[in-house]
Amino acid sequence: MSTATYTVKGMTCGHCVSSVKEEVGEVSGVTGVEVDLASGLL
């Protein structure tokens, strides 16, 4: 198992966080997604 961290620019609200979590969570092999709105880290 590995962990990767990405920076997502342009997230401005909770809806953005939900959308990113949903889309990334559907990628094959992804078992968990954590998003921090304040830092933009995924």
Side-chain angles (χ1 to χ4, degrees):
M1 184 165 152
S2 64
T3 300
T5 302
Y6 300 93
T7 301
V8 178
K9 295 184 184 236
M11 289 193 303
T12 58
C13 65
H15 183 263
C16 296
V17 170
S18 295
S19 295
V20 169
K21 284 179 78 167
E22 182 178 337
E23 292 298 319
V24 174
E26 292 179 3
V27 174
S28 178
V30 173
T31 59
V33 180
E34 294 182 30
V35 179
D36 181 4
L37 179 60
S39 66
L41 294 179
L42 167 69

